[in-house]
Amino acid sequence: MDYTTLGQTGLRVSVAGLGTGGFSRMGLKTGKGEDESARLVLDAVNLGVNFIDTAPSYGTEGVVGRALKSLGRDKVVVATKTHVFRDGKWTSPEDLVASLDNSLRLMGTDYVDVFNLHGVETQMYDHALKVLAPVLTEQKRKGKIRHIGLTENPIVDHTNAALKLALNDPVWEVYMVGFHMMHQGARQNVFPFTQQKGIGTLLMFAVRSIFADPPRVAREIKELAAKGLVDKSLAASDDPLGFLVHPDGAANMIEAAYRFVRYEPGVDVVLFGTGDVAHLRSNVASLLKPPLPEADREKLTALFGHLKGIGLDGHQGR
C-alpha cells in the first residue's frame, strides 16, 4: 500500500480508501449481514487500507464498529458525517451533537478522525458555516472530532460551487470531491487551492457507476457527440475508451478510471465501495498500479476536460 498525509491534518492515510456507502453498502444491499460485511473491512485493512468512510445514512456505522472491535483503534482513520439539511429540516446544533454521539456509540469509539458535513450545496453553506461550524469546533475541542471537513454534492453541483465558497473559511480541513475521467472540473476549481491551503482531499465517483458499464459509456458519448460536446468520431465506436486498454496502458476501463484519478495532483485518498472480497482486491490493485501513460492522460483531458456532471449517479440515502 502507498500512504500519504491528508492535507495538514497530520493523518497518515492509505491512498486507497474504503467507502461504505455507494450502491453496495459493503454488501448490505445485496443481503450480507453486518458480521460478513465487517469481515470485508478487515480484509481491506489486511491489504493496507487504513481509511474508512461511513455515514449514518449509509447504515454501515455498525459494520465499522464491528470491525473496530477486532482492530486497534489507532490502526485506522475513520470518517463519518451528518447532513446540513435533510427531509425539509435544517440540522440544529443539538441535532449535530446527537448525530455525532450516536455515530460514536455505533462504532464503539470515543472519537472520529474526520467529521464531514454531508452533501453541502451552495444554499446550505451559510447554515453550515454560521450555525454548525462553531459546534464542530467545540466538539473538536472536547476531543470527539479530530478534524472537520465537508463533502460536496456533485450529483447536483457540477461546478464545485460549494467547495469554492468554503475555500475562504479555514475551519474546513478536509474536502470530499467528485472527480473522474469525464468530470474533471476540480482540476481547475478545487485542487490548486486545496494544495495551496493544505486541505486534505477525499476523491469520490472515480468509477461509480458509469465506468463499470462500458455500453453505458458508449451511449453517453453518442449523446454528447450529438450535442456537439465531444468529437463526433467517438460516437462511431461501441468502445470509445478502448484506446486506454493496451499492453503499456490499462487492462480494462475500471483500472484506467482508478489510475487516472489516483495520480491527479491534489488527490490524497481515492474512495471506492465494494460488496465482495474479489472486487475489493481488484480495486486496491488498480490503485497501486503506475499512472496511465502520459499520452493517454493527455488524450482524456483533451477529449473530456471541458465536460461537467457526466455519469454522477445518485442513490438513496446518499
Side-chain angles (χ1 to χ4, degrees), residues 1 3 19 29 53 60 87 95 109 112 118 120 142 144 148 156 176 183 203 215 228 238 258 264 276 282 287 289-290:
M1 181 56 65
Y3 297 88
K29 295 283 280 188
D53 175 71
T60 52
D87 298 329
D95 294 334
T109 182
V112 62
H118 194 173
V120 177
K142 291 181 176 181
K144 292 195 285 185
I148 299 168
V156 299
M176 189 179 292
H183 178 71
L203 200 286
D238 289 331
Y258 280 126
E264 179 69 28
D276 68 81
S282 176
L287 286 165
K289 289 189 175 180

Side-chain angles (χ1 to χ4, degrees), residues 36-307:
E36 194 175 1
S37 294
R39 283 196 291 275
L40 270 178
V41 178
L42 300 179
D43 288 333
V45 172
N46 286 336
L47 291 171
V49 174
N50 78 340
F51 190 93
I52 304 169
D53 175 71
T54 186
S57 59
Y58 301 164
T60 52
E61 288 180 317
V63 169
V64 175
R66 287 171 188 256
L68 290 179
K69 289 179 181 178
S70 302
L71 299 166
R73 178 62 183 86
D74 61 346
K75 301 298 183 186
V76 290
V77 175
V78 177
T80 194
K81 315 175 182 75
T82 200
H83 285 90
V84 174
F85 182 84
R86 189 169 175 82
D87 298 329
K89 180 177 181 291
W90 292 100
T91 297
S92 69
E94 295 77 16
D95 294 334
L96 187 154
V97 174
S99 179
L100 170 61
D101 287 345
N102 193 53
S103 294
L104 296 177
R105 179 186 64 81
L106 287 170
M107 292 190 289
T109 182
D110 296 327
Y111 68 94
V112 62
D113 296 283
V114 179
F115 193 83
N116 289 308
L117 296 183
H118 194 173
V120 177
E121 300 171 28
T122 52
Q123 71 274 18
M124 304 175 189
Y125 186 71
D126 275 355
H127 188 80
L129 179 66
K130 296 174 182 177
V131 177
L132 300 184
V135 184
L136 293 170
T137 300
E138 175 64 12
Q139 297 304 302
K140 181 179 177 182
R141 187 190 66 77
K142 291 181 176 181
K144 292 195 285 185
I145 295 171
R146 291 198 168 173
H147 302 284
I148 299 168
L150 53 81
T151 87
E152 67 172 353
N153 180 10
I155 297 166
V156 299
D157 176 2
H158 298 159
T159 63
N160 312 110
L163 294 183
K164 286 189 283 188
L165 277 178
L167 285 166
N168 298 314
D169 300 306
V171 66
W172 316 113
E173 302 169 88
V174 179
Y175 287 172
M176 189 179 292
V177 188
F179 180 81
H180 65 57
M181 292 192 293
M182 295 174 67
H183 178 71
Q184 302 177 29
R187 179 180 296 121
Q188 288 79 37
N189 296 334
V190 178
F191 297 141
F193 308 103
T194 54
Q195 291 178 88
Q196 177 188 356
K197 295 173 179 287
I199 298 168
T201 58
L202 312 172
L203 200 286
M204 57 179 164
F205 286 97
V207 168
R208 190 184 88 193
S209 62
I210 182 171
F211 300 116
D213 183 358
R216 177 181 169 186
V217 173
R219 291 195 304 272
E220 294 262 8
I221 286 179
K222 282 180 170 63
E223 291 176 10
L224 291 166
K227 296 174 183 176
L229 292 174
V230 299
D231 192 310
K232 291 189 182 301
S233 66
L234 291 172
S237 173
D238 289 331
D239 186 17
L241 298 187
F243 66 87
L244 296 169
V245 179
H246 56 90
D248 295 322
N252 54 61
M253 191 188 306
I254 291 176
E255 180 188 297
Y258 280 126
R259 291 169 65 183
F260 177 77
V261 301
R262 157 77 173 85
Y263 293 98
E264 179 69 28
V267 172
D268 291 333
V269 177
V270 178
L271 296 168
F272 65 87
T274 190
D276 68 81
V277 70
H279 184 241
L280 164 69
R281 290 172 178 158
S282 176
N283 289 348
V284 170
S286 294
L287 286 165
L288 295 180
K289 289 189 175 180
L292 291 176
E294 189 58 31
D296 291 348
R297 288 188 59 83
E298 289 176 357
K299 188 170 183 178
L300 285 167
T301 299
L303 289 173
F304 306 129
H306 60 289
L307 297 177

